[in-house]
Amino acid sequence: MTGGAASAGQETAEVTFTQQGMWVTEQTVKVGTAYHMPLLVHLRGEPDTAALLAACAAVVERHPVLRGVVAEVGDELRLVPGAEVPVRRAAGPPGGPADGLPDGPLTGPGGPADGLPDGPSTGPAGGAGMDAAVREEILRPFDLESGPLARFTLFETGPGRHLLVFVAHHLVFDGQSKDILVGDLATFYNGERPPPLPAIDHGRAERDRVAALLPAAKEFWKPRWRDPGETVLLGRALRSRRAGEGRVLRITADPSVPGLTRFEVLLAALHVLLSGYGNAEVTTAVDLSTRPAEAAGHIGLFVNELPVASTPSPETTFRAFATALRAELREVYRFRQVPLTRAMPRIRPHAALVPVSVSYRTRHGADPVFAGLDTSVEWTVFNHAVRGALHLQCVDGPGGLTISLRHDPEAVPDAAKAAADLRLLLERATHDPDLTLNEILNEIQE
């Protein structure tokens, strides 16, 4: 078992630095459900439920990391086998079909209108029963000591309608793992077998890579990193780096500017918006993938959170600013494998590196096909928590870019205004990227 997967016969393996940091945070800071990663698969038709549950079990067999827990073994942390991952079938809410889910995703495209709360869509009155059952699955705590750190639950929500709820702890799962899990599920359900996975030992290999990069990373971060202090948002000073109960809003966007990636445009827009709120220097954190090529098909945790800073100038055009931020990002990418706490070891554990952060994932292709079924997947299901004051979880797929603004309602009570401002700024910046930042911000403030 490794930080990304288990090799045959291995009982324990080194944890990755990210797993180590997350485990320490769980022991020292109250994080609630901030590290819960839910996924919903809606199935319409008449599924072979026995085959579907068998497919879930086969995925766990293929990816033993889902059965793993982080434990102290001697004087080090190791990933060791934990309790079996439950794969169960549960009854839907009382009352039959009228109490099931509406015909549509809980939180995905086609759900709430842009800028509205992104949560379970209860539809008719009885829909609240199913929403409550899903919420309970998402909020149910994980036993970090014994496991399991993942679970599958299949609900029958009405005639010809089922909902598969998967929840994993971030210690053994990341955003790209969602695509891998659903793809493997569909393959097994369709009676096929995915190709064998190469054995990897990600924890050990990561330590070798980090050791080689660490001297240069220390020199890189020494002049760049300082405690982020506060970030001003709509007149409020955000200092929260804790995890707690959150709320969520959803917007969609098409952040396309020639010569820049969509992620670079989005991050630049966020920095410009924060500068318009009164931050001369802007620092946000971004989740970067550390997944090596040999781990392409492995479920696991392959992520590192690093800060990105800028000093937006009002007279600079958006295109010029985004291009400069792109250059800084490329510098940060050189050290994406090195946790900031290794390069700057005096950083204290926090659930969030800075008050405002971004995770961005690109999905290629349509949802996997389950034979004989009409299937839709909700990729950004809310876990009812937030790390820091404001976190943008973004998925850019065939249907466009969806941005879930997860926020601390006490720290950011006017999140709807911030969401509307970000959407408008993206529209103006992508329509005419040669406008100055001052011109764009003035339009937003009108």
Side-chain angles (χ1 to χ4, degrees), residues 179-437:
D179 296 271
I180 296 169
L181 180 133
V182 177
D184 285 353
L185 269 178
T187 299
F188 282 121
Y189 178 80
N190 296 339
E192 303 167 2
R193 295 195 66 83
L197 290 172
I200 64 172
D201 189 342
H202 183 51
R204 181 173 300 176
E206 179 193 64
R207 277 164 168 70
D208 293 340
R209 289 192 293 269
V210 170
L213 290 168
L214 189 56
K218 287 182 176 180
E219 291 303 312
F220 177 80
W221 287 115
K222 189 182 299 181
R224 281 174 166 83
W225 172 255
R226 54 184 174 276
D227 190 280
E230 64 184 33
T231 298
V232 178
L233 194 150
L234 293 172
R236 293 176 176 269
L238 307 183
R239 300 180 182 87
S240 176
R241 295 162 69 185
R242 65 181 180 87
E245 184 177 351
R247 299 288 184 273
V248 66
L249 300 169
R250 181 175 62 83
I251 62 174
T252 57
D254 181 19
S256 299
V257 173
L260 298 165
T261 68
R262 289 158 68 86
F263 168 64
E264 290 162 354
V265 174
L266 172 67
L267 188 65
L270 178 62
H271 277 232
V272 171
L273 182 63
L274 291 174
S275 73
Y277 288 157
N279 301 280
E281 297 182 358
V282 178
T283 300
T284 60
V286 295
D287 288 334
L288 300 178
S289 173
T290 61
R291 184 181 291 269
E294 60 269 22
H298 287 268
I299 284 174
L301 175 59
F302 302 89
V303 176
N304 186 22
E305 185 181 48
L306 291 174
V308 178
S310 71
T311 53
S313 171
E315 301 309 315
T316 302
T317 66
F318 181 84
R319 188 193 304 275
F321 171 72
T323 300
L325 189 64
R326 170 193 175 98
E328 177 63 14
L329 270 170
R330 297 307 165 101
E331 288 296 299
V332 172
Y333 289 166
R334 294 193 297 124
F335 303 104
R336 67 166 65 216
Q337 299 285 347
V338 183
L340 190 63
T341 52
R342 306 299 295 181
M344 309 296 291
R346 293 186 179 181
I347 297 176
R348 296 172 54 191
H350 293 280
L353 189 60
V354 297
V356 180
S357 59
V358 179
S359 65
Y360 192 104
R361 184 167 66 91
T362 301
R363 293 194 61 254
H364 302 284
D367 292 350
V369 174
F370 289 72
L373 300 173
D374 179 13
T375 307
S376 61
V377 183
E378 294 189 59
W379 301 103
T380 58
V381 181
F382 187 40
N383 62 6
H384 304 280
V386 63
R387 293 186 300 113
L390 178 67
H391 177 74
L392 277 63
Q393 186 175 92
C394 312
V395 174
D396 199 352
L401 173 63
T402 299
I403 306 169
S404 292
L405 287 88
R406 304 178 178 202
H407 58 279
D408 180 336
E410 294 183 4
V412 192
D414 38 11
K417 167 64 173 167
D421 287 349
L422 178 61
R423 182 173 55 183
L424 181 58
L425 193 153
L426 280 167
E427 289 175 356
R428 297 301 301 131
T430 54
H431 176 72
D432 188 354
D434 293 315
L435 289 173
T436 66
L437 305 188

Side-chain angles (χ1 to χ4, degrees), residues 132-155:
V134 172
R135 180 186 177 95
E136 181 180 347
E137 287 298 311
I138 294 172
L139 297 181
R140 186 146 48 91
F142 287 107
D143 184 338
L144 295 184
E145 182 175 343
S146 302
L149 298 185
R151 51 180 175 260
F152 293 87
T153 308
L154 179 64
F155 291 97

